Each structure stands twice: as C-alpha cells, then as structure tokens.
Amino acid sequence: MGRPPCCDKIGVKKGPWTPEEDIILVSYIQEHGPGNWRAVPTNTGLMRCSKSCRLRWTNYLRPGIKRGDFTQDEEKMIIHLQALLGNRWAAIASYLPQRTDNDIKNYWNTHLKKKLKRLQGQDGNFIQTTENSSEYPKPVSKGQWERRLQTDIHMAKKALCEALSLDKSATSSSLFAAPQQTETPAHQSKSSTTYASSTENIARLLENWMKKSPNSSSVSSESTCVGLSSSPSEGTISNTFVSFNSDITTEQEAKFDAASLMNNEGKMDTEMTQMPLSLLEKWLLDDAAAQGQEGYFMDMALRETADLF
DNA sequence: AATAGGTGCAACCGCTATTGC
DNA sequence: TGCAATAGCGGTTGCACCTAT
C-alpha cells in the first residue's frame, strides 16, 4: 500500500540545481506557465522529480523573491506572526511579500529561535516562545477548521494591526525589544559562492519575459507586483504589507485587495475590495481598540481559542 | 596548515489537503 | 462517493562554508 512515488525514483537527480537546469526550468515555465508539475520533467528532459521542480521554482526561481537581508521589520513580523500562528510558515510567508516559507523557516530556526532564547534568558517576562505558542494551534480536527479559520482571521487582523503600528511607532512592539542590529544580518557575511545563492540572476532573466507578456499568466503578474507565491493558500494580504514595508505614496498603490485576503482566510464582504489602506487601518485599529489593547494580544488569542474549542 | 566543530541554507522526505474523474 | 493524482506544507537532512584551536 502507500502512495506511489510522485515520479520514477530511478534516474532522478538530486542535490543542488545547476544553472543549466534552472534555465531549462525557467524557459519551460516562461513558455507554459507554472503548474502541471508532473509534466515538467518529461517535457523538459530534466532528470528531476516534479516536486523538486516545483520547489525550485517557488523557492528560488519565481520572480519577486527577495533573498537574504531580513530587515528588522521583517524580523519583528516573523516573531509576531510565529507567536500568533505557530510554525505555519506558509501562512507567515503570506504576510511577508518576497519571502518564501522555506526562507522564513530557515531564518527562524537558525537566527530568531536562538535570539529569542537568548533574550528570554535575559528577561524572565519575555514572551512565549515557539515551543509554547506553537502548542495552541495543534488541536485541529475535522469540523474545527472553520473555527480555526475564524480565529486566524482575527489573529491576522491583530498581526496586521501590530505591523502597521510598527511602522508608525518603533516602540509599539512591547513583545520584542530588538537588540542593536543593522539591516544586514551577520549571515550575509557568508560568501555566496554556491550557485544556489546566485539564482537571482536567473530570476532576472524572467523580467524580460514578464515585460514581454504582462498577462501571459496570472502567476507572473501576481508574483511580479507583490511577490506572492503561486499557491492559493498563500494569496493573501501581501499588498498590505508591501504598503507597510515600502513607503507607498499614492492611494492607488495602497489599495487593499481584500478579495485575495479572503482566498486565504474565509469570507468577507466584497465591498472590502479595493479599499484604501487608510480605511483598512482604521478598521483594524478600531477593531483592536474595541477589544482592548492592554497586554499582549497573544493572551487574547489564546483565550479566544480556548473559547472556540 | 590541518582539522574538528559550528552554522546557514538548499533541498529532500513524508504527510495532509485538494482536485478531478 | 471513492479513488488516484497532484499540490502544498512543515520537519529534517546533507553539505558547503566559516571559525576556533
């Protein structure tokens, strides 16, 4: 029994991708668009598993991916969201445009976890760590996902609220007193001699493609403007965080695509679509104010979850 | 200079969820 | 409704590179 392998294991190449393989993959996707991954190895002649192709594309070759250089804001966002959502990296990644879940997961495991541990050692009142916070989303059984979805909506709103306030007030995050750190993390000092680290060159190849065929596929347009992943579950409020991360100057750019938010998080009035960011902020802030801002909202989330279950 | 240990990250593995027939 | 195929996700591993001795 058991599922058959996603592809024939015999003759499947493993390990790091070569530039040639990347170019083949990119060329193929350029022509056919992402999707139907099973067909990719056969059609391209790549001796790679379809999963491997998809992973390579979504994590490295997809346009709009930013590598390295986690900013302090991004760091704080990850910490917030991890506290709220647990180790749901894909969900967290959806709030950080241009970052992949794999990237965030690695960054958490290699940097933030240690950092938090260290800080926790310094401060007994520090926030709950992964180990604690990740416990609460666990009890998800059949019939409960709707409730969790609602919880997630609420928590995402909180996270967004917090993130937006981060922009306005550097001290808004009582949760994490970031140590002095430049925008360039230490790991950047590591030389990027391996090919995998230079795949942005490949990604650049795609720019021409996207310019040539702006609506050649929905994926290209999505990923170009907001760095969304191709997965439906990841199509979320990234626009909002683009606005948050980069100083949006025009109202048009600050449009909020709540429809895509709902792709991830359930139903919402369609009148929310194309809502200017200021309204969204107001909505979030009002909502937060209505619930009381005192204390860290993790407690709120936990209480809420306890009520739900 | 050699090497042992640590670190960071790309890629893989195994599982679940979703989709299509 | 059931099943197979596929997509997506999170945990883990393997390896290249860095640093200390």
Side-chain angles (χ1 to χ4, degrees):
Chain A
M1 286 290 282
R3 280 187 45 189
C6 65
C7 52
D8 188 4
K9 294 284 182 189
I10 299 166
V12 172
K13 189 182 170 190
K14 292 183 181 180
W17 281 65
T18 64
E20 290 79 17
E21 288 177 312
D22 280 345
I23 289 168
I24 290 169
L25 181 59
V26 167
S27 302
Y28 178 82
I29 293 171
Q30 178 177 350
E31 202 172 330
H32 300 91
N36 194 12
W37 294 106
R38 190 169 174 78
V40 173
T42 25
N43 291 348
T44 58
L46 284 169
M47 304 301 283
R48 293 279 182 174
C49 167
S50 57
K51 265 174 109 171
S52 183
C53 294
R54 181 177 56 80
L55 205 67
R56 183 68 182 167
W57 171 257
T58 54
N59 281 345
Y60 298 99
L61 302 177
R62 181 164 56 91
I65 290 177
K66 183 177 158 191
R67 309 207 55 77
D69 283 45
F70 273 81
T71 64
Q72 281 194 9
D73 281 343
E74 285 176 318
E75 202 172 272
K76 286 174 189 174
M77 282 286 295
I78 293 167
I79 292 165
H80 279 205
L81 290 165
Q82 205 281 337
L84 286 167
L85 303 172
N87 294 356
R88 293 162 63 197
W89 305 115
I92 292 171
S94 69
Y95 295 93
L96 288 161
Q98 303 176 342
R99 297 293 184 185
T100 67
D101 53 353
N102 206 35
D103 220 10
I104 292 170
K105 182 172 62 181
N106 281 335
Y107 190 65
W108 174 265
N109 286 329
T110 57
H111 293 91
L112 298 180
K113 227 170 165 178
K114 291 171 193 168
K115 199 170 185 175
L116 287 173
K117 216 165 201 172
R118 208 173 56 235
L119 289 165
Q120 198 175 23
Q122 291 170 5
D123 182 0
N125 295 326
F126 199 62
I127 60 161
Q128 300 179 36
T129 58
T130 325
E131 287 74 26
N132 295 329
S133 60
S134 62
E135 280 170 6
Y136 91 88
K138 276 182 187 169
V140 180
S141 59
K142 258 188 174 175
Q144 291 182 331
W145 65 268
E146 297 98 330
R147 288 173 173 180
R148 182 169 135 180
L149 202 59
Q150 289 180 332
T151 311
D152 282 358
I153 292 168
H154 203 93
M155 290 192 299
K157 282 163 64 179
K158 293 288 179 186
L160 177 58
C161 175
E162 189 76 359
L164 290 166
S165 61
L166 272 175
D167 201 26
K168 291 167 186 156
S169 152
T171 59
S172 67
S173 174
S174 57
L175 137 88
F176 177 56
Q180 298 303 318
Q181 184 192 354
T182 63
E183 294 246 325
T184 306
H187 72 271
Q188 284 304 301
S189 62
K190 192 174 180 175
S191 64
S192 303
T193 52
T194 57
Y195 167 68
S197 301
S198 64
T199 50
E200 60 185 277
N201 295 333
I202 298 289
R204 262 186 227 115
L205 294 174
L206 292 164
E207 287 177 8
N208 290 333
W209 161 42
M210 292 183 299
K211 281 172 192 166
K212 271 190 289 181
S213 51
N215 61 349
S216 63
S217 73
S218 58
V219 173
S220 65
S221 57
E222 274 180 1
S223 47
T224 305
C225 51
V226 292
L228 288 177
S229 87
S230 54
S231 76
S233 66
E234 291 173 1
T236 58
I237 59 173
S238 304
N239 277 345
T240 306
F241 288 93
V242 168
S243 306
F244 157 62
N245 283 325
S246 58
D247 297 319
I248 297 296
T249 51
T250 68
E251 186 175 310
Q252 191 178 19
E253 283 174 301
K255 297 278 187 185
F256 172 64
D257 188 352
S260 58
L261 167 67
M262 290 304 97
N263 285 341
N264 192 38
E265 297 178 345
K267 295 171 186 168
M268 181 186 271
D269 293 340
T270 51
E271 65 200 23
M272 282 290 295
T273 59
Q274 300 301 300
M275 175 185 283
L277 183 59
S278 57
L279 287 180
L280 173 70
E281 285 183 66
K282 189 173 184 306
W283 167 60
L284 288 166
L285 294 167
D286 287 348
D287 190 78
Q291 308 217 13
Q293 286 278 24
E294 74 287 346
Y296 180 50
F297 53 75
M298 185 64 203
D299 294 333
M300 178 279 302
L302 286 167
R303 283 197 303 275
E304 206 172 62
T305 309
D307 291 339
L308 286 170
F309 298 108

